[in-house]
Amino acid sequence: ISRDWSDYALWWEQKKCWLLKTHWTLDKCGVQADAKLFFTTQHKMLRLRLPNMKTVRLKVSFSSMVFKAVSDICKILNIRRSEELSLLKQSEDTLKKKKKKDKNSKEPVTEDILNLCNSPVSSGLSGSPGLYSKTMTPVYDPISGTPASSTITWFSDSPLTEQNCSILAFSHPICSPETLAEMYQPRTLADKAKLNAGWLDSSRSLMEQGILEDDQLLLRFKYYTFFDLNPKYDAVRINQIYEQARWAILLEEIDCTEEEMLIFAALQYHVSKLSLSSEAQDFTCESEVDEVEAALSNLEVTLEGGNASNILEDITDIPKLADNLRLVRPRKLSLKAIKPYWFVFKDTSVSYFKNKESAQGEPIEKINLKGCEIVPDVNVAAKKFGIKLLIPVADGMNEMYLRCDNETQYARWMAACVLASKGKTMADSSYHPEVHKILSFLKMKNWTMSPQAVSDPDSIDMKPECFVSLRYTRKYKSKQLAARILEAHQNVSQMTLVEAKLRFIQAWQSLPEFGLSYYIVRFKGSKKDDVLGVSYNRLIRIDIATGDPITTWRFSNMKQWNVNWEIRQVAIEFDQNVSIAFTCLSADCKIIHEYIGGYIFLSTRSKDQNETLDEDLFHKLTGGQE
């Protein structure tokens, strides 16, 4: 019988490399007579734990770069924008905790694994949509996230049958509180740093990084810039981002207030209720507007330029805010001093005056918010609407708080501050959507108890412990928690399934710590370790003991960065002759280098390219040319 040897290649064990250039002689590859070569398949089985904690087994290329392997995996799973994901090796500490638990338990837990092993090696979905096209056929129902009927036929050559697709695109009933207690929960910043130590190098293959057949890796969203989320094509992607956010909150990988925790709980309860009910599965969307028509009407609006009358005013007039706010400056010895002032916000600066009348003269102080950290300081129930500003100074950060009187005032000022910190003014098109987003988030936090919420028949068997982190399970009795989650649920009870997941993702994105990946580093010239937070638009130096931010550097001010591979030191130069250098202690410096390069690569994406990813540019920015 003739065998197909096309997937076989030579693997050189000592040098940890594949010999893939088949037209080269062994001599040219540097192979000597004593070398031990293995003739083995390039595609092998791999177990992947997805963000929703389900495990899938599929065939993955062990010889191509991880960046390419992840792209193939995402094709099989029908997740667009594979560049946002990567593979993570679980750290020893997180596994140790599990092993200890296993010793105590009598019977071994058998994990339910979804086998996608008959998957075509690289073809992915036959009709798999390009990354973005105005005339793409919707693949999912935008309301319920079920596969649109016409697309089921597409899955014929892919292991993603309708049932498998629903495992990936639907959120399944939450685990028991016991399982939650057994999972690894980071307690300190150093623990959080351990979570990010295991990212694989995107520019090398799995085999070169010591991954063996049937090993288990985690598939996770590594870069927190979710580009172009579209319910019509992204049911699996939206669900997996939602799941990653949900676990980050349940395991306290990211901090949030009690008010926020209850909103997250209410949204989870709503999602699990809709996922279980059969109506969600059989939803069909009647008001389907033809894609092409929608695109044409969009084009019409852009060509006509909307209402042209006020365009000239807009160009010359930079919007500004002026209002009475209260200023709070924390004093080290005395209590906080709270004083009312007349505040004016213009461009990216905020100035304050004694009163409205003196606003024509010199301000008491003018603060440029570019490069500041902006943190919400809100408690809706207590009617507290504060904005915490962390202003970079030579030796760290100065704190000051602005107190607003009500939701609308807070939303307008908060949105202006957030944009200013990124160097944008209120004239930017994202200002009004930002105000709207803040207001809708506040509205969700503002709830009152009504009698019908308690009498909801479904709520009787609700397990509130499954929707909040352990801290709150210990703090409140189950009945109290259930009642508070149901109060919060009233505000979200009308949402559709996909809408609730997107709202959950948005609420997660508005947390102050969102998108920060932590590493323990030692700055050049410093005697002690610090934590470095890497985010999509900035780096933050954080005090390892207190968790307070010390300095922030924005990517937009970055001139160049490089790595000295001999001493494994990352050096970065910013505008105004600011330069920093550090060595990484909790992970390889290549990981941080790749993170920074990766975020810069992702910021170059735009919807109108014909959506082929520039893989070479990614490797140029992240490879570090060792």
Side-chain angles (χ1 to χ4, degrees):
I1 305 163
S2 63
R3 260 187 87 173
D4 178 7
W5 296 98
S6 62
D7 192 36
Y8 280 74
L10 290 170
W11 165 253
W12 187 357
E13 184 60 48
Q14 290 121 305
K15 289 271 165 75
K16 290 234 174 301
C17 69
W18 287 93
L19 307 181
L20 296 174
K21 295 191 165 131
T22 45
H23 55 283
W24 280 22
T25 61
L26 289 179
D27 184 42
K28 191 173 178 182
C29 295
V31 176
Q32 306 283 309
D34 60 349
K36 194 174 176 190
L37 301 182
F38 289 90
F39 186 52
T40 179
T41 50
Q42 295 175 57
H43 287 82
K44 301 176 187 294
M45 294 309 288
L46 186 65
R47 285 179 305 136
L48 283 183
R49 195 137 198 235
L50 304 180
N52 64 352
M53 301 297 177
K54 291 258 180 289
T55 304
V56 296
R57 261 183 101 229
L58 34 77
K59 248 201 174 112
V60 177
S61 164
F62 272 60
S63 63
S64 47
M65 291 182 181
V66 165
F67 187 82
K68 177 81 178 69
V70 170
S71 157
D72 290 344
I73 289 166
C74 289
K75 268 194 190 130
I76 295 172
L77 300 178
N78 204 14
I79 297 174
R80 289 192 316 151
R81 303 274 166 208
S82 65
E83 67 276 13
E84 294 166 359
L85 296 95
S86 192
L87 299 173
L88 182 64
K89 205 173 175 177
Q90 241 174 327
S91 72
E92 300 300 314
D93 293 4
T94 56
L95 291 168
K96 267 183 210 153
K97 170 148 186 186
K98 282 191 183 156
K99 283 194 180 119
K100 267 188 206 155
K101 295 282 187 234
D102 290 351
K103 279 182 192 162
N104 307 340
S105 60
K106 301 288 177 285
E107 64 218 48
V109 184
T110 48
E111 194 170 21
D112 178 25
I113 294 183
L114 171 64
N115 252 323
L116 301 180
C117 46
N118 54 344
S119 68
V121 170
S122 58
S123 64
L125 300 177
S126 59
S128 162
L131 281 179
Y132 190 86
S133 119
K134 287 281 195 308
T135 56
M136 241 154 75
T137 334
V139 189
Y140 299 100
D141 183 309
I143 292 178
S144 65
T146 46
S149 51
S150 59
T151 58
I152 292 304
T153 50
W154 285 8
F155 297 137
S156 53
D157 77 328
S158 155
L160 268 189
T161 56
E162 195 166 354
Q163 165 252 336
N164 289 350
C165 177
S166 76
I167 288 180
L168 301 174
F170 282 107
S171 185
H172 292 273
I174 318 286
C175 68
S176 64
E178 296 77 55
T179 345
L180 193 60
E182 280 172 21
M183 292 171 83
Y184 178 74
Q185 299 197 1
R187 292 272 168 265
T188 60
L189 274 176
D191 288 351
K192 289 181 184 178
K194 282 175 194 155
L195 296 173
N196 293 303
W199 289 109
L200 295 188
D201 184 338
S202 300
S203 312
R204 289 161 61 213
S205 68
L206 288 170
M207 207 79 156
E208 289 169 72
Q209 301 183 60
I211 306 297
L212 305 172
E213 181 156 19
D214 236 5
D215 274 359
Q216 176 162 310
L217 293 174
L218 311 179
L219 178 71
R220 291 287 181 271
F221 289 87
K222 175 178 180 179
Y223 299 102
Y224 295 93
T225 46
F226 310 122
F227 189 65
D228 176 37
L229 275 183
N230 189 326
K232 284 185 180 159
Y233 321 115
D234 287 331
V236 175
R237 184 172 164 222
I238 289 171
N239 186 54
Q240 297 296 339
I241 295 176
Y242 160 75
E243 287 285 344
Q244 187 162 323
R246 191 169 79 76
W247 284 107
I249 283 157
L250 288 180
L251 298 173
E252 295 189 16
E253 286 168 20
I254 182 169
D255 293 336
C256 62
T257 64
E258 189 168 313
E259 229 174 28
E260 287 159 346
M261 182 62 85
L262 288 168
I263 290 174
F264 286 125
L267 284 165
Q268 286 177 67
Y269 170 59
H270 189 61
V271 167
S272 70
K273 206 165 130 181
L274 287 182
S275 305
L276 288 172
S277 69
S278 52
E279 303 96 65
Q281 314 286 3
D282 309 328
F283 239 104
T284 45
C285 184
E286 285 97 28
S287 60
E288 189 56 81
V289 182
D290 181 9
E291 285 276 286
V292 181
E293 254 175 49
L296 282 172
S297 61
N298 249 342
L299 181 66
E300 207 172 339
V301 173
T302 33
L303 289 176
E304 287 173 3
N307 43 351
S309 57
N310 56 10
I311 280 183
L312 282 173
E313 295 165 37
D314 284 1
I315 293 171
T316 52
D317 183 41
I318 290 183
K320 67 174 192 177
L321 287 172
D323 225 332
N324 274 313
L325 303 177
R326 296 186 304 287
L327 175 69
V328 185
R329 278 191 185 281
R331 299 267 166 80
K332 284 204 166 108
L333 298 168
S334 62
L335 294 165
K336 291 178 179 174
I338 304 182
K339 284 187 180 171
Y341 290 103
W342 179 255
F343 279 82
V344 175
F345 195 108
K346 193 159 187 184
D347 291 335
T348 58
S349 300
V350 67
S351 321
Y352 60 94
F353 305 85
K354 198 170 180 187
N355 49 34
K356 189 176 179 178
E357 289 66 46
S358 57
Q360 300 309 320
E362 280 295 301
I364 300 172
E365 191 181 2
K366 182 177 183 179
I367 302 146
N368 191 348
L369 295 184
K370 201 173 170 184
C372 291
E373 289 294 305
I374 313 290
V375 185
D377 179 32
V378 174
N379 183 336
V380 179
K383 294 268 177 272
K384 173 186 174 189
F385 303 103
I387 302 169
K388 179 178 176 183
L389 306 176
L390 292 166
I391 301 139
V393 286
D395 57 343
M397 296 279 214
N398 275 347
E399 269 185 34
M400 61 185 273
Y401 294 80
L402 305 183
R403 287 277 169 86
C404 302
D405 298 329
N406 52 41
E407 282 105 327
T408 0
Q409 191 186 43
Y410 167 78
R412 297 209 316 262
W413 282 82
M414 183 69 181
C417 290
V418 168
L419 287 186
S421 71
K422 298 175 186 168
K424 295 176 179 172
T425 67
M426 289 162 58
D428 192 86
S429 60
S430 58
Y431 174 68
H432 290 292
E434 184 70 28
V435 174
H436 181 72
K437 194 172 96 184
I438 294 169
L439 277 172
S440 66
F441 192 36
L442 288 176
K443 194 177 155 205
M444 276 171 27
K445 288 185 179 181
N446 190 8
W447 61 76
T448 47
M449 190 63 176
S450 78
Q452 92 246 11
V454 187
S455 59
D456 177 2
D458 296 342
S459 64
I460 297 164
D461 55 355
M462 167 188 181
K463 293 198 187 103
E465 299 84 6
C466 304
F467 302 117
V468 295
S469 66
L470 285 173
R471 183 192 314 187
Y472 295 100
T473 323
R474 295 187 189 118
K475 190 172 170 185
Y476 294 108
K477 291 197 177 78
S478 181
K479 266 189 177 164
Q480 287 174 310
L481 266 179
R484 297 191 64 185
I485 292 172
L486 289 169
E487 280 175 40
H489 178 248
Q490 289 175 271
N491 278 345
V492 299
S493 56
Q494 299 310 309
M495 290 180 189
T496 63
L497 183 56
V498 176
E499 194 187 341
K501 285 180 190 174
L502 285 171
R503 188 54 70 84
F504 190 99
I505 294 168
Q506 269 176 4
W508 174 49
Q509 286 172 315
S510 59
L511 294 177
E513 285 181 22
F514 166 75
L516 280 174
S517 308
Y518 299 102
Y519 291 95
I520 298 173
V521 298
R522 171 74 60 91
F523 277 87
K524 192 178 174 180
S526 168
K527 295 232 175 0
K528 63 185 190 60
D529 301 347
D530 284 304
V531 170
L532 184 74
V534 184
S535 167
Y536 68 96
N537 58 359
R538 66 200 192 285
L539 298 172
I540 307 178
R541 181 178 182 172
I542 301 167
D543 185 309
I544 196 164
T546 61
D548 295 336
I550 302 170
T551 334
T552 298
W553 302 279
R554 302 239 153 217
F555 290 158
S556 53
N557 303 337
M558 189 156 81
K559 282 188 186 163
Q560 60 164 340
W561 78 104
N562 53 51
V563 181
N564 178 336
W565 293 108
E566 283 168 23
I567 54 173
R568 307 207 80 72
Q569 178 176 290
V570 182
I572 310 176
E573 264 182 59
F574 296 93
D575 293 344
Q576 291 155 349
N577 299 329
V578 176
S579 60
I580 59 171
F582 55 83
T583 47
C584 187
L585 308 174
S586 61
D588 192 319
C589 66
K590 169 72 171 77
I591 295 182
I592 292 195
H593 173 74
E594 187 177 304
Y595 240 129
I596 296 172
Y599 272 128
I600 287 167
F601 169 72
L602 295 185
S603 68
T604 63
R605 297 180 293 180
S606 73
K607 279 188 192 178
D608 49 274
Q609 299 162 347
N610 46 11
E611 287 320 334
T612 45
L613 268 182
D614 188 343
E615 207 173 314
D616 293 342
L617 178 63
F618 176 83
H619 291 303
K620 254 186 213 150
L621 286 170
T622 60
Q625 288 83 42
E626 275 190 71

